[in-house]
Amino acid sequence: MRRLLFLAVLALLVFPSEAFAHATLLRTTPQFRQRLSASPPTVVLRFDQYVKVLPQSVQLFSATHPLNVKRIWADGLSVKAALPRLPRGPYTIRWHALSGDGHVVSGVFTFGVGANAPPPTKAFGSSGPTRSEDVVRWLYFLALALVVGGLGFRLLVLRGRALTPRAERRFFILTGIGVIATLDAGIVAFLMRAEDALQLPFGRLLYGDLSPLARSRFGHAFIAMTLGFALVAALLFLSWLTDRAFLLWPAFVLALLFASGLSLSGHSAADAGSSWKSQLADWAHLSAACLWIGGLIQLVAVVWPLMPDARREAFLAFSRLATVCVGVLLAAGIYLAILRLPQLKDLWTTNYGEVLLVKIGLVSLALAWGGVHKLVAVPALAGGKEGRMLPRLRGSLLGESMVGMAVLLAAAVLVDAKPPVPPAPTPPAASSVPR
């Protein structure tokens, strides 16, 4: 009887009844982010079932203020609104209607009249990234470091060396936490951005139309990265379950590949001056940071306490990998800083530049810390003088990893900050020579 009840509940979850489905928006006129040559007379929202019009079911906004809608009415499966004559510029439509199941469905889309329409994340009323989103982004970067850096450390530093059972277990715990946190933090970030774009409380967001957000660069990156890291999680689980270490290689390659979603949807892809070179530099910058910081965590949390015989070899091998990562990190960071800061004074006169200065300071501290390891610890261990050096290194490596986490926090704030706009070119002076 219990099995039959379980199967019935499962069937209801897998095959929900259409009678309880809320109305879904099928299409709009104007279309999502459409650029029109003339002012549209009406806005039309087409649903898959009948809906009821509510007060202010369709709200119209220019780039700076709300505008009056002449009339709103229902026409079969459509909701229509008569618009005033609109001058050239971008516009936002926010809508809500009562669905047949009693829920209020809502959404937002943008269009432009003789101008490009903004993405939904920049629609009228959206406040943009908040401090909460900065924290979520930081947790996302830390999770990426645990996954990418953990897998890279296992494959590139330990290079097939057999781990003790306890070390193996801790490696999978850390990387497993990383990949699950990557998925969860990504979902939370998407929901927070959707809540801001739709300007809805979370309860109403459950019945909101998220398709415009899903069709943005941010939405495409979220979908691709969620599916990609779900596959990474599956490969990681199979590797642990079947004791097949070779499955870690495709997991590592996929993690590196799908980390590029942040570079394909952020400043390096959307701002002025962006190109494939800026996107590649941003991806290399993020990947190098994740390999470096995630590797430090593995060295401190796995090798040092659980594999004492491998400390010397692991530290020397990681030092070589960290040198490459730091070189890539510096080269890509300098290129991106030059690209995003049109003038040197932007470093201390803009919010973006001030955050970048904090990040540069933290990176400099981490590089100095790593430099001491390179100049003092590496020669001592390479010369076989590890007796007094090894016991002190764990605390020093822990300190370096903490500074690395602070670098990721500064990077999270920097990602959500808006780079300064390049100054407009000065028009040539009129010639005073008489013709």
Side-chain angles (χ1 to χ4, degrees), residues 81-124:
L83 302 182
R85 184 168 182 80
L86 303 176
R88 183 179 183 274
Y91 295 92
T92 297
I93 292 291
R94 296 190 180 278
W95 59 267
H96 63 281
L98 184 62
S99 181
D101 62 354
H103 293 114
V104 176
V105 290
S106 309
V108 62
F109 68 94
T110 60
F111 66 92
V113 177
N116 293 328
T121 52
K122 296 181 181 179
F124 179 90

Side-chain angles (χ1 to χ4, degrees), residues 313-334:
E313 291 79 5
F315 179 82
L316 293 175
F318 177 73
S319 178
R320 292 189 289 270
L321 176 64
T323 301
V324 176
C325 290
V326 167
V328 173
L329 190 73
L330 285 175
I334 292 171

Side-chain angles (χ1 to χ4, degrees), residues 60 300 339 387 408:
L60 173 67
V300 170
L339 183 67
L408 291 182

Side-chain angles (χ1 to χ4, degrees), residues 106-304:
S106 309
V108 62
F109 68 94
T110 60
F111 66 92
V113 177
N116 293 328
T121 52
K122 296 181 181 179
F124 179 90
S126 300
S127 62
T130 61
R131 287 291 170 259
S132 297
E133 288 190 67
D134 290 340
V135 172
V136 171
R137 176 80 64 159
W138 176 53
L139 294 175
Y140 193 85
F141 284 165
L142 286 178
L144 277 180
L146 286 176
V147 180
V148 175
L151 290 170
F153 185 87
R154 173 73 180 271
L155 298 170
L156 303 177
V157 174
L158 296 182
R159 294 184 181 179
R161 182 188 179 104
L163 275 66
T164 63
R166 290 181 63 198
E168 183 89 0
R169 181 172 178 270
R170 186 168 295 182
F171 161 77
F172 277 112
I173 288 175
L174 287 174
T175 49
I177 290 173
V179 73
I180 292 172
T182 299
L183 292 169
D184 290 344
I187 292 171
V188 171
F190 180 83
L191 291 176
M192 292 178 73
R193 193 65 60 89
E195 184 180 12
D196 180 50
L198 272 66
Q199 292 292 288
L200 296 173
F202 185 76
R204 286 271 303 279
L205 184 66
L206 297 176
Y207 301 99
D209 176 35
L210 302 182
S211 58
L213 198 69
R215 283 182 278 172
S216 64
R217 279 183 179 270
F218 173 74
H220 290 160
F222 164 72
I223 294 170
M225 294 181 74
T226 301
L227 294 176
F229 279 99
L231 183 55
V232 172
L235 289 169
L236 195 64
F237 177 74
L238 283 175
S239 177
W240 169 76
L241 188 66
T242 62
D243 198 23
R244 299 282 198 276
F246 72 87
L247 292 173
L248 298 177
W249 277 107
F252 176 55
V253 172
L254 285 173
L256 276 176
L257 177 65
F258 283 101
S260 65
L262 296 175
S263 305
L264 297 176
S265 63
H267 296 307
S268 297
D271 290 340
S274 300
S275 66
W276 67 269
K277 291 182 288 186
S278 62
Q279 295 173 39
L280 180 62
D282 191 87
W283 171 74
H285 189 73
L286 176 63
S287 299
C290 288
L291 282 170
W292 171 40
I293 297 168
L296 277 171
I297 294 172
Q298 288 285 326
L299 196 60
V300 170
V302 176
V303 173
W304 231 258

